[in-house]
Amino acid sequence: MIKKWLITFSICITMINVYAQEKKDVVTPATVIIKPEDPLPAKDSLFRDAVSAWCEAQLKSEDYKKIKAHPSSAIFPGKVKDGYAFENRVVKIKHKKINDALLPIVSKLDYSSPWENTMYSTGLYAVPGQYVEIIIPAKLKNKGIVVQIGCHTDKLNQWVASKENWRRMPIIVKTQELKQVSTKLASPFGGLIYITASPRSDDWEQDITINHAVAAPLFKLGTTTQQDWEEQLKNNKAPWGELASDNIILTLPDSVIQKVQHPDDVMKLWNLIIGGEMDLAQISQPFYRAQRLVIDEHIGGGFMHSGYPIMVHHSPVKRMLSANIIANPELLMQPSKGGANWGFFHEIGHNMQNLDWVFGGTTEVSCNFFSLYMFDRLMGGRDEGHSAISNVYTEKAMKKYFQSGVNYEKWEKDPFLGLIMFRQLQEGFGWESFKTFFREYQSMAAKDTSGNYVATDQMKRDLWVKTFSKITGRNVAPFFETWGIPISAEAKKELDGLDKWMPYNFPPVN
């Protein structure tokens, strides 16, 4: 009997030990390690849902004492270097409300995420699992002002990324409204610290104290000296930093930041880029806030995407190397056949698109007006700007389209075919006609905030043709129809008094 009992007891102990070992080895959302070279597979849908839910819960929690560093944070966004020291710093934040005169313009720039809170950089970094304290003046309490930890705002459980293998944790940015004079918070992933406020909220300028954070490189054109910058790089322990001007802010990993020896040259070039795109869009500078570009290992979709901030893929394992170019003026100015610089111009172009003149099939077309303009005005010409604007591609695409029979639905699905049509207009009437065209749309938006004049896609196409024809003094409705773009009888009748325009040898017969 005793022998049988001992045997049973021994078996139980063995089972307990086995269970304990198995439990110890179980991967949970709190312990999973995601790497670019060892991503979390799309097929693990249930576990991915659990990871996303865990991230959301942790990032919403205001119980900062219970927040621990997540092991994946050491990989992305990255580990704070050994030897770091916490510091307390007073940061002056000047929030400026958008000018009322800009409201009709900005309200049409939907792809730019125009009403997302404006992000104010602090030059400080929150260590994963460690609290930071934000102290604000009493007058700013409950004014909708928010502290944000992290800049990689894309959620990988949405859009295209929801079906891709995840190369980083899916949700890693924490936001918390500042409702008290003193607020302590923590993130399991850490990140650059920002103070944010709605662009439509009233002006304010105040000193804000941030305690228990780590210094991160922040270059401000016209303010930070070369000596200051070199000291920041030498002493940096943070995995991310920023280069800023009044027009654009680049958020970059330390591996890139450390190579930026002359940040003033980088930001002067980027000022030219933003200035050029806004010149074409006919939007005055300074704008209501700077554009933002953020490098990320994994974004919601595409090589890059527009918004605030513009998100830029940089993933060596996927052979996407945008970060190697973004802060290198020499590489940024090299024609890339559709590489990173075309992508930068393209995404900023999305942020400039007035949706009143974006009709069916042109979302990925009219943003490339800005890419073309930057190659024309900044790069010295379009040669090798993109393989799909080459002579060979253009001739082949046009012949194939017209030989197979024009069709609007087919045209809508091929952005570079669509771009050929608008290139013909630009070559025929010049960039100044486009600038006048964009100004006219801004005037229309200011006069009629309802937007009823572009309530349907047909109305958008008709307005495009009527507006451009009246600006140029030539009737382009037959040209649009030759491409297969439907124009209403009413719009065509309105343009009867103008001479018809058609490019030479179009449709192509040779």
Side-chain angles (χ1 to χ4, degrees):
M1 188 72 177
I2 294 175
K3 184 177 181 182
K4 186 182 291 187
W5 181 85
L6 288 172
I7 292 172
T8 304
F9 180 77
S10 178
I11 292 171
C12 288
I13 291 297
T14 302
M15 290 177 67
I16 290 170
N17 287 338
V18 169
Y19 173 77
Q21 184 63 40
E22 287 178 350
K23 188 175 181 181
K24 182 179 179 181
D25 293 341
V26 167
V27 176
T28 70
T31 62
V32 63
I33 296 178
I34 303 177
K35 304 177 182 179
E37 61 276 11
D38 187 18
L40 186 57
K43 65 181 181 180
D44 295 345
S45 58
L46 290 177
F47 185 62
R48 282 157 60 109
D49 288 345
V51 171
S52 297
W54 183 90
C55 290
E56 293 275 19
Q58 291 285 303
L59 292 167
K60 287 178 181 176
S61 173
E62 296 186 4
D63 190 353
Y64 68 92
K65 292 180 180 178
K66 292 185 178 179
I67 302 300
K68 308 299 180 186
H70 193 280
S72 287
S73 68
I75 300 158
F76 194 91
K79 182 181 178 182
V80 177
K81 298 175 189 175
D82 293 340
Y84 70 84
F86 289 115
E87 67 173 73
N88 303 332
R89 184 185 297 182
V90 176
V91 180
K92 183 177 289 295
I93 304 292
K94 183 178 182 180
H95 170 66
K96 189 170 180 61
K97 180 183 179 181
I98 185 171
N99 189 298
D100 287 345
L102 280 174
L103 289 173
I105 298 173
V106 173
S107 66
K108 301 295 183 177
L109 308 181
D110 288 29
Y111 298 138
S112 71
S113 307
W115 308 125
E116 288 289 327
N117 273 17
T118 300
M119 298 164 60
Y120 296 102
S121 302
T122 65
L124 293 166
Y125 198 90
V127 178
Q130 295 283 342
Y131 79 88
V132 294
E133 182 183 27
I134 313 296
I135 301 175
I136 60 174
K139 64 179 68 175
L140 294 185
K141 285 196 313 178
N142 294 308
K143 296 293 186 181
I145 298 165
V146 173
V147 59
Q148 176 175 316
I149 296 177
C151 54
H152 302 97
T153 51
D154 278 11
K155 295 184 177 183
L156 305 188
N157 59 340
Q158 301 173 356
W159 198 22
V160 179
S162 67
K163 295 178 172 60
E164 298 175 333
N165 297 338
W166 291 344
R167 300 189 303 278
R168 65 162 171 83
M169 289 290 282
I171 308 167
I172 60 174
V173 169
K174 180 177 180 64
T175 58
Q176 188 168 322
E177 188 174 346
L178 298 173
K179 299 178 179 180
Q180 306 294 332
V181 168
S182 174
T183 301
K184 289 183 179 180
L185 70 161
S187 163
F189 309 107
L192 288 169
I193 302 170
Y194 303 90
I195 302 299
T196 81
S198 168
R200 289 186 276 200
S201 62
D202 291 338
D203 293 357
W204 55 268
E205 182 175 0
Q206 295 292 334
D207 288 342
I208 293 178
T209 300
I210 302 177
N211 295 330
H212 208 247
V214 173
L218 175 59
F219 174 86
K220 295 182 179 180
L221 184 65
T223 300
T224 309
T225 67
Q226 182 68 24
Q227 184 177 353
D228 290 339
W229 179 243
E230 290 171 2
E231 283 296 312
Q232 287 188 57
L233 294 187
K234 179 182 176 182
N235 298 320
N236 183 43
K237 302 296 183 181
W240 290 83
E242 294 186 317
L243 306 176
S245 75
D246 290 339
N247 303 310
I248 187 165
I249 300 167
L250 310 178
T251 305
L252 307 170
D254 180 64
S255 59
V256 173
I257 285 279
Q258 290 292 339
K259 297 175 184 176
V260 180
Q261 297 181 354
H262 300 289
D264 51 341
D265 292 341
V266 175
M267 297 316 295
K268 285 175 182 176
L269 176 55
W270 273 106
N271 273 354
L272 281 174
I273 293 169
I274 296 299
E277 301 225 10
M278 293 183 71
D279 176 54
L280 178 58
Q282 290 294 280
I283 299 173
S284 299
Q285 292 188 81
F287 205 27
Y288 72 111
R289 64 182 178 196
Q291 301 285 327
R292 280 185 173 271
L293 274 70
V294 174
I295 294 292
D296 197 337
E297 169 62 44
H298 198 167
I299 68 175
F303 177 33
M304 308 178 191
H305 73 70
S306 59
Y308 183 80
I310 293 170
M311 299 304 298
V312 179
H313 249 134
H314 177 81
S315 179
V317 300
K318 302 294 286 186
R319 298 185 180 179
M320 292 185 286
L321 305 176
S322 309
N324 296 347
I325 298 167
I326 194 170
N328 185 327
E330 183 178 345
L331 294 179
L332 193 54
M333 288 292 288
Q334 288 182 14
S336 60
K337 296 184 179 180
N341 50 13
W342 177 278
F344 299 140
F345 304 157
H346 171 102
E347 299 304 341
I348 298 167
H350 272 307
N351 279 9
M352 299 293 144
Q353 280 177 309
N354 179 328
L355 291 201
D356 285 356
W357 44 256
V358 178
F359 61 84
T362 63
T363 296
E364 296 298 331
V365 176
S366 54
C367 61
N368 279 329
F369 299 170
F370 299 88
S371 301
L372 292 174
Y373 188 74
M374 295 316 300
F375 272 87
D376 283 355
R377 294 291 178 263
L378 184 70
M379 311 282 281
R382 303 175 187 180
D383 290 352
E384 298 189 333
H386 197 294
S387 57
I389 62 170
S390 67
N391 292 345
V392 172
Y393 177 89
T394 301
E395 182 181 12
K396 183 178 178 180
M398 288 182 70
K399 284 184 176 179
K400 180 180 177 181
Y401 178 67
F402 285 100
Q403 287 172 2
S404 63
V406 298
N407 180 283
Y408 181 45
E409 290 184 1
K410 187 192 306 180
W411 183 92
E412 284 184 289
K413 295 175 182 177
D414 188 341
F416 282 100
L417 179 69
L419 187 59
I420 294 172
M421 187 186 91
F422 291 102
R423 284 166 52 200
Q424 289 175 305
L425 289 171
Q426 189 277 321
E427 290 159 3
F429 298 102
W431 284 122
E432 293 307 312
S433 295
F434 278 75
K435 293 178 185 180
T436 304
F437 176 84
F438 296 149
R439 288 198 303 272
E440 184 63 25
Y441 271 76
Q442 292 171 10
S443 296
M444 285 187 270
K447 292 174 184 175
D448 184 355
T449 57
S450 73
N452 290 334
Y453 54 92
V454 285
T456 68
D457 204 58
Q458 184 65 62
M459 293 171 74
K460 285 189 175 187
R461 296 194 299 270
D462 287 349
L463 187 60
W464 223 109
V465 166
K466 289 189 295 183
T467 306
F468 199 83
S469 295
K470 291 173 182 178
I471 286 169
T472 60
R474 300 292 297 275
N475 181 359
V476 300
F479 170 68
F480 271 67
E481 289 193 309
T482 301
W483 270 104
I485 313 301
I487 305 300
S488 72
E490 293 80 8
K492 289 186 287 185
K493 185 176 181 180
E494 193 174 323
L495 299 173
D496 276 348
L498 296 176
D499 289 340
K500 296 177 181 178
W501 179 82
M502 199 73 70
Y504 179 73
N505 189 34
F506 179 76
V509 297
N510 59 318

